[in-house]
Amino acid sequence: MVFEQCISISLIIVNLISIVICLYQYVKRPCKTFAFAVVFFLANFLSNYYWGIYLFVMDDYPNVSSFFAYFGWNFAFLVLPAMLHSLHHYGDVKFFSWISLIPIPINIIQLLLYIKYGGIFNNVWQVFFTTVASCMCLNSIVFYVKHRSTGVRLPYVSVIVLLYIFFEYAMWTSSCFSWRSEVINPYNYASIFDIICYFLLPFAIIKYYSIDGDNNSVEYVSKISGYLYTALVLVICFSGYFLAVWMRNTLSSSIDLLDEQSDPYKIIAVILFIIALFIVLFSVAVIFVVRVMQKSDESKRAVMEKTVAERASHAKSDFLANMSHEIRTPINAVLGMNEMILQDSLRFRDVSHLDESEAKSAFRDICRYSGDIDSAGKSLLSIINDILDFSKIEAGRMEVVNADYKLSQVLNDVYNIISFRALAKDLKFDIKIGKSVPDGLYGDSVRIRQVLINLLNNSVKYTKRGSVILSVNAYIRDVSEDNEIWDMIFSIEDTGIGIKQEDIDKLFDKFERVDLANNSSVEGTGLGLVIVKNLLDMMNGNVSVQSTYGQGSVFTVVLPQVVKSKELVGDFRAKSEQSIDSLKSKAEILYAPDAHILVVDDTHVNLTVVKGLLKNTGINIDTVDNGDDAIRMSEKNKYDIILMDSRMPVMDGTTAMNLIKSDEGNPNVNVPFICLTADAVDGARERYIADGFTDYLVKPMNSDALKSMLMRYLEKERV
Ligand code: ADP
């Protein structure tokens, strides 16, 4: 009896552990299998508890009806097939193997053997459900064996359940026979293994589902609630035990005890059953509450996700509508102004009948129209650049290219661009440099310039009157053996329309334009700040905003940069004007009447543009519109430079260049080849140079860029 008592108490303990584990797992990841496992263990607990405690306290089996005795266990057997069914093995739902029917005849034999002991109803019930469960287990094991090479996961749960059923049968069968000694009684060993299966089952389910990862990271009940539940259940269990002991003592001292017929101890079993039932109902209530919390949380999350998705999709469709508007506006200006130039040119074709003032006015008009075309073209280009940059960022292809640079140069470029725009709106614009800002830095000056221009452009765009000020400061951040890293602080302050507090969080979302009621007439894509934020992220910097609606905003950029020279930025304008002016003036006064260049482009307008931009340079320009003609011309003439479009039908620029270079008799074997291309993506320059081009000019090009390029490659005596 002592051994059986130990087994019963161990069974209760393991049963409780399994309930807690499965319940915890179910809360963590609400999959059906854990729910069924909880019900399975709770149902078993219903019988195990009163049976085990009664045995422990009374040193005897409870004398109750077989329905009452087996109620919990029978319910657990009913749950087993449902639990197995919920596992969703890959494809084995449709799979069937005859091998899986092996348990049927074995179980029938067992049933016939055991039927006289446990009653017909109980035995048929138990054998029926365990047979179904064991057939299912065997089926999924056979399925695994046949398909394991295709990545089918091992049916851990089926293996454990099959073993569990096997040991249950072993217990039942061995109890039908009498054994000479307890040591050889298989019942004892089977019951130990049965407990081990109890213990392993929750881990088998965890192992089975661990492959999917934790699909629900939200902890609906904290660990403390888990401990509380466990503690409460333990307290109730112990109370049941003490109550049973107290009842036994009380009943045994009472006089009516001798009435053997009515078994007064039966009440202890009933009370213990009620306590176990209370624990079961309490646990079911916990599951129910958790499920309700999960459902409401899931629906809240779904609503939130839907709102976010709707906002993103709205922003995207607004973006497309806005883009169409933003692109059409400058195109409209370009085409409209150009038509006016055409009309005026036709009208004034015969200038002989115009007096001087009429002629001057006509040319002034044409100048104004072409100025408008210039600004519309530039705004179109900036939109396209924004879209290209944004798509590069989205595709993860945006790169940071670090090099030594002068901050004064960057600030000067920024000043030139922004002061012009601020002036057009009558805004005061200034750049204030802190005392200790170093000039020689190492970083990506192109992207830093882009960030500053973007933020300053916004300030100018969203400010009707007042000022836009860029302040630059720097503070040392980190000193290592080779480097000093400084935090460069750029703060852009305007007296513009400001941003509402609730809109500030949306600013850096893609396609988001805020406060449209007030700034719908201001052109923009809603991409500028996203690009700024992403570029700064890539350079380990950050941007923050402070704004008072109606009064103005301050955008602050903090960007760590390696300092290469401690020379101060000081009067940045004077400094960089020297270098820029010398370059510019050289480009502007380029005059090389002895120079002879070849321009190859399949688009005739582009040939006209190059010729027009170089009109006053005196350079002799040959133009052809395909690679074949370029080769033919290069065989006849010696050129100083060949400008070659990269993408042309029939023969592309690279092939034509390589054919010229590989023909030793060609006088242009060593001539500089400049690639003309609209391919402005990252790495294009490196690619063209690797292909053999000497340098690279990106379209649309302006006269400064073109002339500077020619200056660089023309021999000195030609200029
Ligand atoms: P956009 O091309 O519309 O200017 P951005 O991404 O650059 O796109 O800016 C997003 C929105 O942030 C703008 O539509 C505007 O409403 C707001 N915003 C940006 N900068 C400022 C500023 N300096 N003052 C007021 N509002 C601003």
Side-chain angles (χ1 to χ4, degrees):
M1 234 357 144
V2 175
F3 178 79
E4 284 178 15
Q5 283 174 333
C6 288
I7 286 286
S8 300
I9 291 301
S10 312
L11 190 63
I12 294 173
I13 294 169
V14 172
N15 199 166
L16 272 177
I17 293 173
S18 301
I19 291 174
V20 172
I21 295 176
C22 289
L23 198 60
Y24 182 75
Q25 290 297 325
Y26 176 69
V27 167
K28 236 173 97 179
R29 135 184 55 194
C31 70
K32 273 190 195 156
T33 313
F34 280 118
F36 284 124
V38 174
V39 177
F40 170 78
F41 283 117
L42 282 175
N44 271 312
F45 183 77
L46 203 56
S47 289
N48 286 339
Y49 180 74
Y50 88 88
W51 190 271
I53 299 287
Y54 188 94
L55 188 63
F56 195 65
V57 173
M58 303 300 299
D59 200 11
D60 196 3
Y61 295 113
N63 178 16
V64 288
S65 75
S66 63
F67 174 79
F68 183 66
Y70 290 99
F71 179 75
W73 291 318
N74 283 351
F75 197 85
F77 288 126
L78 170 76
V79 176
L80 261 189
M83 185 177 79
L84 291 168
H85 182 73
S86 69
L87 279 171
H88 301 301
H89 295 283
Y90 294 111
D92 69 349
V93 178
K94 290 193 190 109
F95 175 82
F96 173 74
S97 161
W98 290 103
I99 301 175
S100 61
L101 298 182
I102 291 176
I104 296 176
I106 301 177
N107 292 2
I108 290 174
I109 296 170
Q110 208 281 332
L111 175 69
L112 296 175
L113 194 70
Y114 192 60
I115 203 152
K116 55 178 185 263
Y117 295 96
I120 292 182
F121 174 78
N122 279 325
N123 277 298
V124 172
W125 176 285
Q126 288 176 2
V127 170
F128 176 76
F129 287 108
T130 47
T131 305
V132 173
S134 49
C135 289
M136 288 171 79
C137 291
L138 208 56
N139 199 45
S140 60
I141 292 169
V142 175
F143 179 77
Y144 166 75
V145 172
K146 283 198 173 164
H147 297 90
R148 65 188 183 283
S149 57
T150 59
V152 174
R153 59 182 81 168
L154 187 72
Y156 304 97
V157 184
S158 300
V159 174
I160 298 294
V161 170
L162 197 62
L163 286 173
Y164 165 72
I165 294 172
F166 174 78
F167 292 120
E168 285 282 316
Y169 273 54
M171 282 158 69
W172 299 338
T173 313
S174 56
S175 65
C176 300
F177 301 96
S178 53
W179 302 88
R180 260 184 296 123
S181 126
E182 282 302 303
V183 181
I184 55 159
N185 188 347
Y187 183 94
N188 298 332
Y189 302 103
S191 54
I192 293 172
F193 284 113
D194 199 54
I195 294 176
I196 294 173
C197 290
Y198 251 53
F199 185 70
L200 291 181
L201 186 57
F203 295 101
I205 305 175
I206 294 171
K207 179 88 184 131
Y208 183 81
Y209 279 102
S210 67
I211 301 160
D212 294 339
D214 271 359
N215 48 16
N216 180 20
S217 55
V218 186
E219 297 253 345
Y220 291 93
V221 276
S222 63
K223 278 209 169 115
I224 296 180
S225 320
Y227 294 143
L228 267 179
Y229 166 82
T230 315
L232 203 69
V233 169
L234 284 178
V235 167
I236 299 171
C237 287
F238 277 109
S239 311
Y241 165 74
F242 289 121
L243 188 66
V245 172
W246 178 78
M247 284 176 79
R248 181 198 61 193
N249 295 342
T250 316
L251 287 171
S252 58
S253 59
S254 111
I255 314 142
D256 296 336
L257 259 187
L258 295 172
D259 184 1
E260 290 278 315
Q261 302 279 303
S262 61
D263 187 3
Y265 294 115
K266 214 185 229 175
I267 185 73
I268 298 178
V270 174
I271 297 276
L272 287 173
F273 183 83
I274 291 170
I275 289 174
L277 190 65
F278 177 75
I279 291 176
V280 169
L281 293 178
F282 172 61
S283 306
V284 170
V286 168
I287 298 179
F288 182 73
V289 170
V290 167
R291 201 66 204 117
V292 169
M293 278 161 68
Q294 282 171 341
K295 278 260 167 64
S296 88
D297 205 77
E298 274 163 19
S299 63
K300 263 190 225 150
R301 215 159 0 137
V303 169
M304 232 169 72
E305 276 166 14
K306 199 170 156 225
T307 322
V308 170
E310 271 173 8
R311 216 182 88 188
S313 127
H314 261 131
K316 201 168 186 169
S317 46
D318 287 353
F319 167 78
L320 290 176
N322 186 37
M323 235 357 53
S324 159
H325 170 261
E326 291 297 309
I327 292 173
R328 277 166 188 278
T329 310
I331 288 182
N332 184 45
V334 169
L335 296 179
M337 292 297 155
N338 192 48
E339 197 172 331
M340 282 154 82
I341 291 176
L342 281 175
Q343 275 174 12
D344 280 9
S345 310
L346 281 175
R347 196 146 53 91
F348 301 123
R349 197 165 30 188
D350 184 9
V351 285
S352 56
H353 67 274
L354 298 177
D355 63 27
E356 197 185 328
S357 76
E358 276 178 320
K360 270 188 183 162
S361 141
F363 278 112
R364 242 195 329 269
D365 280 350
I366 290 179
C367 265
R368 218 186 50 238
Y369 300 150
S370 71
D372 288 344
I373 291 179
D374 187 61
S375 82
K378 280 179 180 149
S379 110
L380 195 57
L381 188 61
S382 100
I383 292 172
I384 289 166
N385 282 341
D386 266 4
I387 296 173
L388 281 180
D389 278 346
F390 174 70
S391 52
K392 251 190 274 176
I393 287 171
E394 288 274 280
R397 283 182 35 228
M398 181 67 97
E399 281 166 22
V400 171
V401 184
N402 292 327
D404 289 348
Y405 71 94
K406 294 267 181 228
L407 183 60
S408 52
Q409 184 96 52
V410 172
L411 294 175
N412 194 68
D413 292 351
V414 169
Y415 186 86
N416 285 337
I417 293 171
I418 302 300
S419 59
F420 178 70
R421 292 180 188 168
L423 191 72
K425 284 188 79 178
D426 239 354
L427 299 174
K428 179 175 170 249
F429 172 60
D430 199 5
I431 299 186
K432 292 183 177 160
I433 311 287
K435 277 198 202 100
S436 55
V437 181
D439 194 26
L441 304 177
Y442 178 79
D444 190 337
S445 60
V446 175
R447 298 302 172 201
I448 296 169
R449 192 177 293 136
Q450 189 177 356
V451 165
L452 295 178
I453 290 177
N454 243 321
L455 294 174
L456 285 163
N457 253 342
N458 274 353
S459 286
V460 172
K461 268 195 324 192
Y462 299 106
T463 303
K464 291 196 181 98
R465 65 189 72 85
S467 60
V468 173
I469 310 284
L470 165 63
S471 313
V472 187
N473 282 293
Y475 302 99
I476 197 152
R477 174 186 179 138
D478 201 5
V479 183
S480 68
E481 268 179 30
D482 338 305
N483 283 324
E484 263 190 27
I485 298 177
W486 286 53
D487 269 339
M488 309 302 299
I489 319 277
F490 301 95
S491 97
I492 293 112
E493 190 172 351
D494 64 53
T495 55
I497 59 170
I499 304 158
K500 288 182 191 152
Q501 217 50 39
E502 67 263 27
D503 285 339
I504 285 190
D505 285 346
K506 289 192 253 163
L507 282 187
F508 298 98
D509 289 350
K510 55 190 175 191
F511 314 133
E512 280 292 353
R513 304 197 70 211
V514 298
D515 198 16
L516 279 176
N518 276 322
N519 58 35
S520 60
S521 60
V522 181
E523 60 190 36
T525 56
L527 293 178
L529 290 180
V530 190
I531 294 173
V532 164
K533 179 160 189 324
N534 278 282
L535 290 178
L536 286 170
D537 281 349
M538 288 166 67
M539 297 189 284
N540 299 322
N542 63 62
V543 55
S544 56
V545 194
Q546 277 174 330
S547 187
T548 313
Y549 190 56
Q551 290 185 22
S553 320
V554 185
F555 283 76
T556 307
V557 170
V558 180
L559 183 65
Q561 292 283 277
V562 175
V563 172
K564 283 295 173 91
S565 126
K566 288 281 183 54
E567 193 190 340
L568 297 180
V569 169
D571 184 359
F572 71 93
R573 298 217 60 213
K575 223 185 233 177
S576 61
E577 258 168 20
Q578 287 165 5
S579 55
I580 288 178
D581 277 358
S582 62
L583 243 178
K584 247 190 168 173
S585 54
K586 269 191 214 152
E588 267 163 19
I589 57 158
L590 171 64
Y591 186 65
D594 294 336
H596 194 187
I597 67 169
L598 173 67
V599 187
V600 193
D601 199 314
D602 61 314
T603 313
H604 283 260
V605 180
N606 290 344
L607 295 174
T608 316
V609 168
V610 173
K611 279 210 276 191
L613 295 179
L614 298 177
K615 203 150 97 188
N616 301 324
T617 60
I619 297 175
N620 301 298
I621 305 170
D622 286 344
T623 56
V624 288
D625 62 7
N626 63 69
D628 271 345
D629 286 351
I631 295 173
R632 217 165 308 119
M633 289 291 276
S634 72
E635 284 164 353
K636 279 196 267 170
N637 305 301
K638 161 84 180 91
Y639 292 107
D640 294 302
I641 293 175
I642 296 179
L643 299 170
M644 179 86 83
D645 182 18
S646 61
R647 209 181 288 179
M648 289 185 289
V650 186
M651 187 189 290
D652 64 52
T654 312
T655 315
M657 173 187 67
N658 286 335
L659 286 172
I660 294 172
K661 282 188 169 182
S662 60
D663 176 7
E664 281 182 13
N666 193 307
N668 296 294
V669 172
N670 295 317
V671 79
F673 277 84
I674 313 291
C675 180
L676 298 179
T677 176
D679 191 357
V681 297
D682 267 348
R685 182 192 164 83
E686 288 70 23
R687 215 175 47 244
Y688 286 117
I689 288 177
D691 282 350
F693 283 100
T694 319
D695 215 324
Y696 154 103
L697 251 182
V698 64
K699 296 177 198 168
M701 66 189 108
N702 58 31
S703 68
D704 280 351
L706 179 59
K707 286 177 189 171
S708 302
M709 185 64 79
L710 294 183
M711 287 280 291
R712 197 172 307 157
Y713 293 104
L714 278 178
E715 286 172 13
K716 295 274 174 298
E717 58 271 20
R718 294 266 195 240
V719 182

